[in-house]
Amino acid sequence: MPTNLRPLDHLRAAFVLVHVAAISLLSMPAPVGMRRSDLDDPQVATALADWHRALGLRSSEAEFADQVWEVGGSILHIRKRLLAPFERYYALTGTRQGWRMFGQVARTPARFELWADEGDGFRPLYIAGSGEADWQASLLRGERFRTFINQFSWKTHRGAFERMVEWLACKRQQELPTTVAYRARMVKLKLPPAAKLRETGKIPEIGPFWETTLQSHELVCDGSRGGPAEAEQEEP
Amino acid sequence: MGTLWTRWATRLATREAATSLALWRIVVGLVVLYMVGMGLLSDDMRVLWLDANDGGVRSLAPRQWLLGLLGGPTPTTWAILVASATLGALGLLLGLMSRLSALVALQALIALFAIHPATGGGHDKLITNALYLLCLAPAGHTLSLDCRLRTGSWRDDSPVGAWIRYLAVGQLALMYTATGWQKLGSEWFPWGDYEAVYRSLLLPSWARFNLVGVAWFYPLTQVGTAVTWIWESTFFLVPLTLYARATRTRPGRWRAIANRLDLRSLYAAIGLSMHLILFVLLELGPFSLISASFYICLYSPAEWQRILGHWLPRPNQGSNRNTVPEPKSAT
């Protein structure tokens, strides 16, 4: 190891210190993107209740939820101010961090389904995870498309969902112009305990949400109905 | 404070052969090629990254500077960026103008990922972080076309700065630790019956196959849940262990333990096993591959030269003159 440090060595040390500080700050846990209403979501409420119980708190569950919201908000506020000087650095160098991965695993996930009526009633075209209804499976099971669809499981970005459904319908219409109508939906599932799943071999459905029906003559397939262009932003 | 700064700067001024960096460079190049290849094969990279007017799924209005310069998310822009990312990755794989190749791939991917961030994931960030470090690293110094053209040999063991390898280790530790600390759902803990892995394998968004049979392996998934959380949340111990091993002449009980027990390899074994299982059972894109690539940097060039032995080309005779001899168990 060198014993006499040159100016370049000090410069390198300073750069590394700043870089490590920048990426560490950004990596720290923060409830980015959360809304107050998210705490009322059954899955989140259950998780909070579990923590409330585990911590043995004297406050009520509602008070605990409020405290969590306040603390989260404070963290985000401080974080935003600390990160501001580094925003340009992250954008230009691709050193953005964001490691919220499977932080909360849904007990009630949702599955995308697309059905088509070719004149003899609706039949499934694509059902996520199905071996039979696998139209455009190589596309819809592509990792980025799965990620795109996954956001709908949390009941966010309905406009994007509607647009995706119409786009898929147009794609099918090109293949089979005689198709009369399309129906798409997200179907909420309830993951059962392992013992129950061993017994039944099936994951029960709770029910659909965002059910959308499109008549083929209503389809606009020229791209002009792409929805309001959302300027996509990275998480701060 | 002065002593602390001197130790910090001195440690970062360490030099070693570039073997680890070169191996990492090659694998990162392969991972980027894999990602682009899979995206083109499924076509999701095209339809999700083009505007609705050009056949894409939805309207897009990204604000990234390079996209703006190229005229927005048009088919031409998309083609230029995908081609640039591919060429950059090839350059990394072959070790041709490695830093420039990394820079080209980096900027192309930053722009592509910015078109529709809702279609990205942790792997996108890990890939761009890796490419940034490779821009700074002399990763083409050995096991590269650059080396061959410069020295007449494929291998040059003359020393380069080790600090990029340290940053790669730090990035890996940061990712795992941060993700572990953010696993706060009750399913990761005893009061949630350690159900997290069991549930993850049944999520329709990510499961590759119908995995209802996982119910028969529930106890195993519970062990997996507990191990995953502990392993991730304590991964920050790995760089601390490596530091302790590199400063073995100094006193301390932790230092003594770290030099007797190779904690790094234990963590690596768990991590690689976990990533293999994830890769087989879940569709998470190139996440497992790019994460695993960082593990290369956990081992020093001398260790890789011992592990790979005859698989590596013979070093250039001249390069050995300047090689800094490494202590026996240097990391």
Side-chain angles (χ1 to χ4, degrees):
Chain A
M1 221 170 18
T3 49
N4 292 322
L5 293 171
R6 304 160 301 165
L8 185 63
D9 297 326
H10 291 283
L11 209 62
R12 179 194 306 117
F15 167 75
V16 170
L17 190 63
V18 170
H19 172 81
V20 169
I23 61 174
S24 300
L25 275 172
L26 194 54
S27 297
M28 287 300 106
V32 175
M34 277 206 82
R35 303 161 293 184
R36 181 61 183 87
S37 56
D38 290 337
L39 297 187
D40 300 324
D41 177 276
Q43 293 192 93
V44 178
T46 305
L48 281 176
D50 287 340
W51 272 105
H52 182 263
R53 208 168 23 252
L55 293 172
L57 298 173
R58 273 182 280 182
S59 58
S60 69
E61 284 179 14
E63 283 167 352
F64 178 57
D66 286 336
Q67 284 161 1
V68 164
W69 178 249
E70 272 181 42
V71 168
S74 302
I75 290 173
L76 284 181
H77 178 70
I78 296 167
R79 185 175 181 266
K80 197 171 178 181
R81 295 185 71 173
L82 287 173
L83 295 181
F86 299 110
E87 282 299 328
R88 203 97 183 98
Y89 180 67
Y90 300 138
L92 290 174
T93 60
T95 47
R96 221 166 260 294
Q97 313 279 310
W99 310 120
R100 259 187 310 168
M101 300 181 290
F102 290 89
Q104 199 185 351
V105 187
R107 182 185 282 289
T108 55
R111 177 184 71 206
F112 173 64
E113 295 184 358
L114 180 65
W115 296 59
D117 177 6
E118 288 155 23
D120 54 354
F122 279 103
R123 278 184 291 158
L125 267 187
Y126 175 80
I127 295 179
S130 161
E132 294 89 29
D134 58 357
W135 175 76
Q136 292 289 330
S138 63
L139 171 66
L140 294 171
R141 284 177 196 162
E143 191 261 337
R144 291 193 187 274
F145 224 106
R146 285 174 180 254
T147 307
F148 181 57
I149 291 176
N150 183 56
Q151 63 184 330
F152 308 141
S153 303
W154 301 94
K155 290 191 180 175
T156 59
H157 301 91
R158 181 152 189 185
F161 174 78
E162 305 280 354
R163 175 55 203 153
M164 177 190 76
V165 170
E166 186 169 40
W167 184 84
L168 286 168
C170 287
K171 205 168 172 59
R172 180 63 173 182
Q173 199 66 18
Q174 277 177 352
E175 292 173 10
L176 202 63
T178 52
T179 308
V180 172
Y182 299 89
R183 180 171 295 155
R185 58 189 194 172
M186 297 296 293
V187 176
K188 219 164 185 51
L189 309 172
K190 180 152 185 178
L191 300 181
K196 189 75 180 170
L197 187 57
R198 282 195 293 271
E199 193 186 305
T200 63
K202 280 191 186 145
I203 297 174
E205 296 177 7
I206 295 174
F209 63 90
W210 289 5
E211 198 157 302
T212 300
T213 303
L214 293 172
Q215 304 298 321
S216 58
H217 64 266
E218 292 172 342
L219 294 176
V220 176
C221 298
D222 59 1
S224 60
R225 201 153 69 184
E230 289 180 28
E232 297 283 359
Q233 280 192 320
E234 289 273 19
E235 283 183 10
Chain B
M1 187 65 96
T3 312
L4 208 59
W5 177 260
T6 303
R7 277 198 201 159
W8 171 254
T10 304
R11 174 59 45 192
L12 292 174
T14 306
R15 292 171 75 74
E16 60 183 22
T19 316
S20 306
L21 289 176
L23 292 170
W24 188 40
R25 180 202 87 228
I26 292 167
V27 175
V28 171
L30 284 170
V31 171
V32 174
L33 288 173
Y34 169 85
M35 180 190 69
V36 172
M38 294 307 287
L40 291 176
L41 210 63
S42 71
D43 204 29
D44 63 359
M45 246 175 60
R46 190 182 61 85
V47 302
L48 290 170
W49 287 353
L50 287 180
D51 187 76
N53 288 321
D54 295 310
V57 173
R58 59 180 298 199
S59 298
L60 299 164
R63 295 203 286 249
Q64 201 264 350
W65 70 272
L66 183 56
L67 285 171
L69 206 65
L70 292 173
T74 64
T76 306
T77 300
W78 179 88
I80 289 172
L81 291 173
V82 170
S84 300
T86 306
L87 283 172
L90 275 170
L92 283 173
L93 177 62
L94 300 172
L96 190 62
M97 293 184 286
S98 303
R99 282 181 159 126
L100 180 61
S101 294
L103 183 64
V104 166
L106 172 65
Q107 293 303 323
L109 289 178
I110 289 175
L112 281 170
F113 296 155
I115 293 176
H116 200 169
T119 63
H123 49 71
D124 290 350
K125 294 184 178 81
L126 211 47
I127 286 172
T128 55
N129 273 281
L131 288 171
Y132 176 59
L133 292 181
L134 287 169
C135 287
L136 301 173
H141 187 75
T142 187
L143 306 178
S144 65
L145 270 175
D146 285 341
C147 179
R148 176 77 178 172
L149 292 168
R150 192 180 74 246
T151 67
S153 168
W154 290 102
R155 177 174 161 185
D156 181 354
D157 287 346
S158 56
V160 300
W163 60 287
I164 296 291
R165 186 168 69 84
Y166 300 161
L167 278 179
V169 171
Q171 175 65 74
L172 187 69
L174 190 61
M175 178 193 70
Y176 284 135
T177 307
T179 197
W181 289 4
Q182 291 179 88
K183 284 180 164 62
L184 295 175
S186 56
E187 61 276 6
W188 287 102
F189 299 98
W191 51 89
D193 206 35
Y194 288 122
E195 241 194 10
V197 169
Y198 163 76
R199 284 193 214 168
S200 301
L201 294 176
L202 295 173
L203 293 175
S205 294
W206 308 118
R208 263 192 218 274
F209 318 105
N210 181 346
L211 289 171
V212 294
V214 74
W216 296 95
F217 299 94
Y218 185 60
L220 262 180
T221 67
Q222 289 178 299
V223 170
T225 300
V227 168
T228 299
W229 192 88
I230 295 168
W231 173 82
E232 282 183 341
S233 302
T234 59
F235 204 94
F236 63 89
L237 292 174
V238 171
L240 292 178
T241 304
L242 293 176
Y243 178 70
R245 289 167 75 85
T247 54
R248 60 200 316 227
T249 53
R250 290 206 215 119
R253 186 175 293 176
W254 165 250
R255 206 169 252 108
I257 295 171
N259 280 283
R260 260 204 301 275
L261 173 69
D262 190 359
L263 205 60
R264 158 196 57 172
S265 291
L266 174 64
Y267 273 75
I270 293 172
L272 291 174
S273 306
M274 180 191 76
H275 281 301
L276 180 64
I277 293 169
L278 285 178
F279 187 74
V280 169
L281 296 181
L282 299 181
E283 175 52 88
L284 299 175
F287 178 69
S288 284
L289 299 175
I290 188 64
S291 300
S293 80
F294 276 78
Y295 286 51
I296 293 171
C297 296
L298 290 174
Y299 295 87
S300 72
E303 289 174 311
W304 276 114
Q305 286 166 12
R306 273 199 297 277
I307 293 166
L308 294 176
H310 301 304
W311 291 70
L312 290 174
R314 284 171 180 269
N316 183 337
Q317 290 303 317
S319 74
N320 289 340
R321 264 185 266 125
N322 294 327
T323 303
V324 175
E326 291 203 31
K328 215 169 175 186
S329 61
T331 50

